[in-house]
Amino acid sequence: MQEYDIIIVGAGPAGLTAALYSARSKLKTLYIEKLSTGGQAATTDEIENYPGFPHGVTGPSLSAQMEEQAKRFGAERLAAKVEKLKMDGDLRIVCTNKGDFRAKVVIIASGAAPKLLGCPGELKFRARGVSYCATCDAAFYEGANVMVIGGGDSAVEEANYLTKFADKVTLVHRRNSLRATKVVQDRALANPKMEFAWNSVVEEIEGEDVVERVILKDVTTGEKRTVEVEGVFIYVGLEPNTDWLEGQIETDEHGYIPTDDNMRTNVPGVYAIGDVRTKLLRQVVTAAADGAIAAFHAEKYMESKFDHK
């Protein structure tokens, strides 16, 4: 079984930053990711609030640069699905579909996945008109009418992005005002291609082979109406990717991992960073900060626990 100083589960901004700091400290570092690099950040068209990019940067570009930097210092990548975390005395074992790996420290950066809306038709039309990533799929809707569900930053930002392709974007929100930050709201409200369905929820997504229409319900009056659309983009929150931990690490009532200020979980030698942990703000900049703190503290932990250097 291969052994590392640090194994990082996930390659979003948090995981890649941890890999950079760890590898740069001459620690034998492995980061494991089953999907593409960058996590949620890689599905964002334009990131405008990450320091150092006054004109913004695309999510895929920032993610690629982060990975290149981590690899430059010797971090190794494994493309695999992590299935379990086991404890072996003072060591930790990460079990994947490509074998098991032992480490002195494990940093959990497994992120969060889009929540399902849960309405009839959602799963039937997934990848056939239902999407959770405008950056990935917007180009398929050139000249179309599409709908975005949600009222937070992600929903409103991606709705704005979709107007680059679609003729009309209808934003559906269960309240009568958006939750997104004001600058994002203002941009959407001023966009001539945007329409808003306030106080509304999706009752059903319908069609034959692909999405053709959505039934909306007004939450104040109960009235239902049908809107013809060719695509539905859903942004109603995230769910942490913690099922694979199987109760080995403490989680809160929503499945997120509580940590202290040094990113330590309730298990020594195991840290949690980024979107997977209990926190107020889930942004690229806070994910990167989490990764740096965890890797720095992990090095100190290993020096005291294993007399690493």
Side-chain angles (χ1 to χ4, degrees):
M1 189 187 302
Q2 283 185 270
E3 186 168 320
Y4 290 83
D5 292 316
I6 293 184
I7 293 178
I8 300 156
V9 180
L16 292 173
T17 304
L20 163 63
Y21 272 71
S22 174
R24 192 169 178 269
S25 294
K26 306 297 184 184
L27 299 172
K28 189 177 182 185
T29 303
L30 175 71
Y31 64 98
I32 305 173
E33 174 59 66
K34 67 177 179 178
L35 301 173
S36 57
T37 298
Q40 293 290 323
T43 68
T44 302
D45 172 57
E46 193 78 14
I47 298 173
E48 295 182 317
N49 56 359
Y50 191 75
F53 295 90
H55 303 292
V57 60
T58 68
S61 173
L62 181 61
S63 302
Q65 290 179 70
M66 285 182 165
E67 181 166 46
E68 181 183 353
Q69 197 172 7
K71 284 183 172 179
R72 175 190 160 205
F73 289 102
E76 300 175 35
R77 174 180 174 144
L78 173 68
K81 179 183 179 182
V82 175
E83 298 173 336
K84 191 181 297 185
L85 175 64
K86 297 196 297 190
M87 310 304 165
D88 180 20
D90 289 334
L91 300 178
R92 311 289 169 241
I93 298 174
V94 178
C95 305
T96 80
N97 63 335
K98 294 186 179 178
D100 297 349
F101 302 85
R102 185 182 283 113
K104 298 180 179 72
V105 164
V106 169
I107 298 178
I108 300 168
S110 48
K115 259 184 196 174
L116 298 181
L117 195 59
C119 69
E122 178 181 11
L123 297 181
K124 176 182 177 182
F125 294 109
R126 194 167 186 170
R128 290 190 291 150
V130 171
S131 174
Y132 304 86
C133 176
T135 308
C136 310
D137 298 330
F140 296 120
Y141 296 93
E142 189 82 44
N145 289 342
V146 300
M147 185 173 282
V148 174
I149 318 300
D153 279 343
S154 294
V156 182
E157 285 172 348
E158 298 307 281
N160 270 315
Y161 174 68
L162 280 162
T163 61
K164 297 179 181 179
F165 302 86
D167 278 353
K168 184 173 79 169
V169 177
T170 302
L171 186 73
V172 179
H173 188 40
R174 63 169 54 247
R175 298 180 178 84
N176 61 3
S177 62
L178 299 172
R179 293 183 291 107
T181 52
K182 192 171 188 310
V183 65
V184 175
Q185 286 191 44
D186 290 347
R187 193 175 299 144
L189 293 167
N191 192 324
K193 287 188 173 183
M194 293 273 292
E195 292 189 4
F196 298 87
W198 304 111
N199 299 311
S200 298
V201 294
V202 176
E203 282 281 286
E204 188 168 355
I205 301 170
E206 296 183 332
E208 294 301 320
D209 295 326
V210 296
V211 169
E212 296 174 3
R213 58 195 167 271
V214 172
I215 299 175
L216 295 180
K217 177 182 176 181
D218 188 303
V219 297
T220 57
T221 66
E223 181 183 351
K224 296 182 183 180
R225 65 186 176 101
T226 299
V227 181
E228 305 290 326
V229 296
E230 294 149 85
V232 179
F233 291 81
I234 298 171
Y235 295 93
V236 292
L238 300 170
E239 289 184 321
N241 295 318
T242 51
D243 288 350
W244 59 279
L245 292 170
E246 298 180 337
Q248 293 272 25
I249 305 297
E250 178 188 348
T251 56
D252 66 17
E253 66 271 23
H254 303 294
Y256 292 97
I257 303 172
T259 71
D260 65 8
D261 290 345
N262 293 315
M263 309 299 140
R264 292 180 293 186
T265 69
N266 66 310
V267 176
V270 180
Y271 297 74
I273 58 176
D275 285 359
V276 78
R277 82 177 187 95
T278 304
K279 61 192 298 187
L280 174 65
L281 183 64
R282 292 183 171 88
Q283 295 279 290
V284 176
V285 69
T286 61
D290 287 358
I293 292 167
F296 180 81
H297 192 277
E299 181 181 7
K300 303 305 177 188
Y301 166 80
M302 284 186 286
E303 287 175 359
S304 63
K305 187 77 175 178
F306 302 99
D307 192 27
H308 182 79
K309 290 185 178 179

